[in-house]
Amino acid sequence: MAAFQLPSIPIELSPWVNHQGSLPPEVDIEGNIEYKLKLIATAPDRFEHLVTQLKWRLSEGHGSAIYEIGVADDGSFVGLSPQDMEVSLQTLHRMADFLKADVTILRRVSVESTQQGDTSTTEDGSGTSGVVRRRLSTNIGSPQTDPEYLVVEARVTSRLAEEHHFLEIRVALVGGPDAGKSTLLGRLAHGIADNGRGKARLNLLRHRHEISTGRTSSISHEIIGFTAKGKTVNYNTTNISSWQEVCESSAKVVTLLDTCGHPRFLKTTISGLTGHAPDYACLVVDSRVGGVNEMTREHLALSVALGLPTFVVVTKMDVATRDQLRATVTALMGLIRTTGPSVSGEAGVTTGPNGEIILPKAIPVIVHNEKDLETIVKRFSDDGAINETKSVAIPILLLSSVTGENVNLLERFLFLLPKPSLDNQTSVGSQEPACYQVEEIYSIPDIGTVVGGFLHTGRIEIHGIAGVLHETTHSSTQMVSSVIDQQGGLAQTTNSMRLYLGPVDRDGSFIPVVVKSIHRQRMSMRSIESGQTATLAIEGPGLSRVKVRRGMVVLESDTDPRGTCCQTFEAVIQVLAHDGLFGVGFQGMIHCGSVHQNARVVGIELLQTPGQEDEASSTNRIFSAWIGRRV
């Protein structure tokens, strides 16, 4: 496959483009460009004002701002003496360090006076009376008789967050319709009590029909953070208004996925549970039901089948009667005991005398207060405690999103939940080649194709472009700006990772791509590790001609990984219940991550289960089947 050029890092469009002698007037109310005559901050309140102004410009530019120093608000070039310019740049560096940002000089241009006069100006550039207008020198670099004045254009860029900046776990909310999943999620993320009519969930609904019907039909995300001491960080916290601020203020971030409860959208719920790779499942039950409905049973069975450790939240305590609450909790306990626990790995799994597999017992436990939480969390998620007791405690929390009763217990429970198999995941998964599963696709103007998904194995980094030479020629002067590395030389364009996106057609071919940027929880990152979700801005030859679909993968490989695709595979199938005949030619739906594919059985072999003496003694059947995609 032919090699292709890596994309260069574009320098932000500055007001210098197509303008000579002066710049267009500054726009105060929007944009990421700021004009400053001087940046000489002597008083603390003045420096604080400048930092606030820079923070707003960075927000407008999504982490990037351009400062024109020595330029009046009307765009005229005034210039500063070398001494004043040096002090102004020092102030800009102090401002950037305060906001954890970096400063890069894009242009340093000499200007000369057009007339003699007083050049003093106010520090904030609010007045221009007495300002001497200057123009670009046509002989920059040559000896000048007049004193030299400078105009500098600098770019301020927010620093990328370091890896493992915060611990992240993902929890999927499942349950029947009208159980209160979206309302509970809004209560946790925004810290606003519900009014009993769905006020707390309005910020989560993505479609108009969801607002009108009150039924979620898509997978939505929200996050809640915790400090190292367990203090909750959400939109109700002081000075928190974005995901980035939640992550920056948190040592641990919990991503909450809201799934669909209505039977009509069961496929979407399955996609959320298989594709978004949650660490835990939270079964939400309406306390007024007085029992357990069919969708609650279905969602619990899905969580158990996928091996997701599942805990239970019973909502709407404020409107349920005592008899309704008692009946609901009793029915839940019976369902949990009969369904069995969801355990990851081999925790608590033993073998009987005849070779049969024995799972640990599921013991439902109601959480009454914070004193019980640490013990219950350990018995719920710690492999050592599960192996020791041969049982798994299934926490049941009773709360109200309207009154806020026991919501603090749920928040504390989420804080105490560990990351499942974190040590094994980072040590083994990060050493393998990268395998990233695409779950969402976006087309963003001026950026291109952006994919969101989950990194199963390996590590993905931004392509190794560290700098670019940018040259612009004007009739009056020639300006050359460059991004330089820390040693002062022009950085080189390198890329050590070879990534491929596919399969893009029926023959299973892939196309090469590079990663231009990475965002995790809407924060810029240099790289991501296995087990993390993130969005990638990708670019490659022919990408515009390819329809990127959910279920595609980004693989790290030295060559086109065409051989990794197949249309026939072997699977072990355990039939729990089936009315018809299961055999060759049987067609069913395969759920693999976010991929839903109709397939048919092309070959079958009956397997003997451990401890099974004869075929008739088995209550179910286990087959080794060859399954092919239906064409």
Side-chain angles (χ1 to χ4, degrees), residues 175-176 283 285 292-301 332 335:
L283 180 66
V285 180
V292 179
N293 57 36
E294 186 61 31
M295 286 310 300
T296 299
R297 297 177 183 271
E298 184 79 17
H299 286 183
L300 179 60
L332 273 173
L335 177 63

Side-chain angles (χ1 to χ4, degrees), residues 102-342:
D102 296 318
V103 178
T104 303
I105 305 300
L106 299 181
R107 291 179 176 85
R108 187 189 296 265
V109 181
S110 298
V111 296
E112 60 181 10
S113 175
T114 58
Q115 61 178 358
Q116 301 298 324
D118 183 16
T119 61
S120 62
T121 60
T122 60
E123 182 183 338
D124 59 2
S126 57
T128 57
S129 60
V131 174
V132 176
R133 182 179 298 273
R134 305 175 190 277
R135 61 179 174 84
L136 284 173
S137 174
T138 57
N139 55 349
I140 296 177
S142 61
Q144 298 184 12
T145 57
D146 293 336
E148 183 183 26
Y149 292 89
L150 300 175
V151 170
V152 167
E153 181 181 57
R155 180 177 61 187
V156 184
T157 308
S158 298
R159 295 169 187 164
L160 298 179
E162 297 295 334
E163 294 81 6
H164 307 296
H165 180 66
F166 54 86
L167 176 66
E168 178 193 2
I169 66 171
R170 293 180 297 281
V171 178
L173 275 63
V174 297
D178 303 322
K181 300 184 295 298
S182 301
T183 301
L184 175 61
L185 183 54
R187 179 68 172 82
L188 292 173
H190 295 267
I192 301 175
D194 188 59
N195 61 355
R197 297 184 298 274
K199 174 184 176 182
R201 70 186 179 197
L202 290 178
N203 293 323
L204 309 176
L205 302 181
R206 303 172 62 181
H207 305 288
R208 182 175 298 177
H209 71 268
E210 292 180 334
I211 299 177
S212 61
T213 63
R215 292 175 177 172
T216 304
S217 62
S218 60
I219 305 297
S220 59
H221 305 70
E222 275 294 350
I223 65 172
I224 178 174
F226 298 96
T227 64
K229 296 183 178 180
K231 182 180 179 181
T232 302
V233 181
N234 55 21
Y235 289 124
N236 199 36
T237 307
T238 305
N239 297 327
I240 297 296
S241 59
S242 65
W243 279 29
Q244 181 176 353
E245 292 172 345
V246 171
C247 296
E248 289 176 345
S249 305
S250 305
K252 178 181 181 180
V253 173
V254 179
T255 300
L256 301 168
L257 295 91
D258 186 20
T259 62
C260 315
H262 196 273
R264 178 182 177 185
F265 307 113
L266 180 60
K267 187 172 72 171
T268 304
T269 298
I270 296 176
S271 176
L273 292 176
T274 58
H276 292 274
D279 300 308
Y280 297 93
C282 172
L283 180 66
V284 183
V285 180
D286 185 354
S287 61
R288 302 172 302 172
V289 175
V292 179
N293 57 36
E294 186 61 31
M295 286 310 300
T296 299
R297 297 177 183 271
E298 184 79 17
H299 286 183
L300 179 60
L302 281 173
S303 301
V304 171
L306 294 172
L308 291 176
T310 306
F311 60 96
V312 181
V313 171
V314 179
T315 61
K316 305 182 182 180
M317 282 184 58
D318 55 307
V319 292
T321 65
R322 185 182 297 271
D323 292 339
Q324 288 175 334
L325 185 59
R326 182 186 296 110
T328 300
V329 173
T330 302
L332 273 173
M333 288 184 168
L335 177 63
I336 290 172
R337 290 190 183 99
T338 56
T339 304
S342 297

